[in-house]
Amino acid sequence: MNANYANSIAPIFSGKKFQGGLSLNLKYTKFFRGSISFGDKKFTFTQTQTPGLSMNQKDSMNIAREYIIGTLKKSMEDDSAAVIKSLGYSMLLKPAEKAAIIKMKFAELSYGYKESLAKQEASVLIESKLTKASHFSWVSVNLNVPFTPTSYSNSEAFSTVFADKSSYPYSFNITYNNVWENKLGRFFFMIKPGILKNNSVLSKQLSKLSYQEYKNLGGTDTAKAIQLSTTDVYIEKYNAFITPSIKLQAVYFPKFSDQVGVDLQLEKNMGSYHTLNGVIGIPFRLAGAESDKAITFEVQLQMPDLRNEITPDKKFWDKAIIGVTVGLPFGSSIY
């Protein structure tokens, strides 16, 4: 559920009109089975392990995996025995209740140890550098359904009266992601087809003004402007339309530096709003308090309407935007 308190929840209690923002977001993600390839490079165990034992990379990883599984199995057996033993002291629980608790506790233990196995395997793969290349992919299906309309106060010109325009900007998209890692570095590729119930405001084709700016520029409907349900007004003709789109993104982190990379994005909109937009970014990763929760910053040059199809009267640098995005994993902190 997505909501903006000021625009979507407060009007329920204040009696004002909805300005949008209350919507239901449904998302399904499917991870596909990944692949790991190993080279012919030999791996020799150190003196603290098994001196003189040499084998290829795949066999070395298999041994490391068996060791992890054996260690976790012993720990799980000890924890399971402790659960059974602790319930044995209870005189109040019936046998059926004890069995239900044991089943629940075992399920919790199983989930925790499966997660630990995955993390330890990944850690060995990363730290030992035994792999030659790896690849995994996933697909996400996303549907956003607005519960409340998004309202805009619109006037086609400074000399005409205001009218309220409403829209339900639903959206649907499918995102297919791929990640490869090999001797050259780490590659990420995404393709995202989608569809949006668009309008002139969302596509930024109208002039957005405050009441004071509207008045200073010679707006005549000042009486209505004071009573408007929104704080901003939009000048020029308002239209609603459907916008199919497809977005491509490629990100590369070189092998010699997995902290700084290059991000290239291209988005093509179709229909009456048929812009071609681009983004060039430089992402860099900052280690968080936990090693597996790095924080990603990206400096971006956003380039809307590259072919000057919507705003031919504006030059490139009048439309370009320089900004910074931040990717913060849930529960992470810098220090």
Side-chain angles (χ1 to χ4, degrees):
M1 180 78 73
N2 298 323
N4 178 299
Y5 176 80
N7 292 338
S8 303
I9 300 178
I12 297 176
F13 306 99
S14 64
K16 293 184 178 180
K17 294 183 178 181
F18 286 105
Q19 295 180 34
L22 183 61
S23 63
L24 176 66
N25 191 75
L26 301 175
K27 185 175 183 179
Y28 172 77
T29 299
K30 168 68 176 178
F31 289 91
F32 300 108
R33 183 180 294 275
S35 63
I36 297 176
S37 61
F38 297 85
D40 297 326
K41 179 182 176 181
K42 297 294 182 179
F43 178 78
T44 303
F45 284 86
T46 63
Q47 189 68 29
T48 57
Q49 297 165 325
T50 307
L53 180 61
S54 180
M55 58 187 66
N56 62 34
Q57 292 173 302
K58 185 176 181 180
D59 291 339
S60 301
M61 187 60 214
N62 286 337
I63 287 181
R65 185 175 188 274
E66 288 300 319
Y67 174 79
I68 294 172
I69 292 175
T71 303
L72 292 176
K73 183 178 179 181
K74 180 63 172 62
S75 297
M76 191 170 183
E77 289 174 351
D78 293 342
D79 288 342
S80 300
V83 170
I84 296 174
K85 184 177 180 180
S86 65
L87 291 174
Y89 294 118
S90 175
M91 304 297 292
L92 301 176
L93 294 174
K94 297 178 181 179
E97 293 173 335
K98 290 183 179 181
I101 294 175
I102 289 174
K103 184 178 180 180
M104 179 187 68
K105 292 293 184 182
F106 280 11
E108 293 176 357
L109 289 173
S110 177
Y111 178 83
Y113 278 106
K114 286 179 180 178
E115 183 180 24
S116 181
L117 171 61
K119 286 184 176 181
Q120 290 190 51
E121 279 190 299
S123 178
V124 170
L125 284 170
I126 294 171
E127 294 176 4
S128 64
K129 296 180 171 50
L130 290 174
T131 60
K132 181 180 179 180
S134 62
H135 167 257
F136 67 93
S137 60
W138 69 97
V139 64
S140 296
V141 180
N142 189 80
L143 173 66
N144 186 271
V145 182
F147 285 156
T148 59
T150 303
S151 298
Y152 310 106
S153 296
N154 171 248
S155 177
E156 294 191 9
F158 288 103
S159 58
T160 59
V161 297
F162 281 103
D164 287 333
K165 305 292 185 180
S166 297
S167 174
Y168 287 86
Y170 63 81
S171 63
F172 174 79
N173 60 68
I174 300 174
T175 307
Y176 180 59
N177 304 276
N178 276 276
V179 177
W180 295 271
E181 188 167 4
N182 54 34
K183 64 180 181 180
L184 298 177
R186 184 177 302 163
F187 301 85
F188 169 83
F189 176 75
M190 180 201 74
I191 181 170
K192 181 180 178 181
I195 188 169
L196 168 68
K197 177 64 183 302
N198 209 345
N199 60 59
S200 305
V201 176
L202 291 178
S203 56
K204 299 181 180 179
Q205 299 182 61
L206 304 185
S207 300
K208 179 180 178 181
L209 303 172
S210 66
Y211 164 71
Q212 192 60 46
E213 289 173 327
Y214 169 79
K215 183 179 178 181
N216 293 341
L217 290 172
T220 58
D221 194 9
T222 54
K224 178 67 179 295
I226 297 176
Q227 304 171 3
L228 292 176
S229 57
T230 58
T231 57
D232 297 311
V233 298
Y234 297 90
I235 309 301
E236 295 176 52
K237 187 176 181 180
Y238 173 91
N239 291 302
F241 44 88
I242 301 296
T243 301
S245 65
I246 185 166
K247 181 178 180 180
L248 303 176
Q249 181 180 19
V251 182
Y252 171 58
F253 283 89
K255 192 70 173 180
F256 60 84
S257 174
D258 61 353
Q259 302 299 315
V260 181
V262 178
D263 179 12
L264 301 176
Q265 301 178 36
L266 203 61
E267 179 186 54
K268 174 59 179 174
N269 294 294
M270 291 161 275
S272 59
Y273 179 71
H274 46 275
T275 58
L276 178 66
N277 308 316
V279 174
I280 298 177
I282 302 177
F284 54 95
R285 301 169 69 245
L286 176 65
E290 299 177 47
S291 59
D292 61 340
K293 290 186 177 180
I295 301 168
T296 302
F297 296 84
E298 182 169 336
V299 180
Q300 291 185 343
L301 172 61
Q302 301 176 14
M303 302 168 288
D305 194 18
L306 282 170
R307 299 197 299 191
N308 287 327
E309 295 174 302
I310 303 299
T311 53
D313 55 323
K314 291 186 178 181
K315 296 181 180 180
F316 175 83
W317 288 111
D318 293 332
K319 298 181 292 183
I321 302 171
I322 297 177
V324 177
T325 63
V326 180
L328 185 66
F330 182 77
S332 63
S333 59
I334 299 177
Y335 54 86

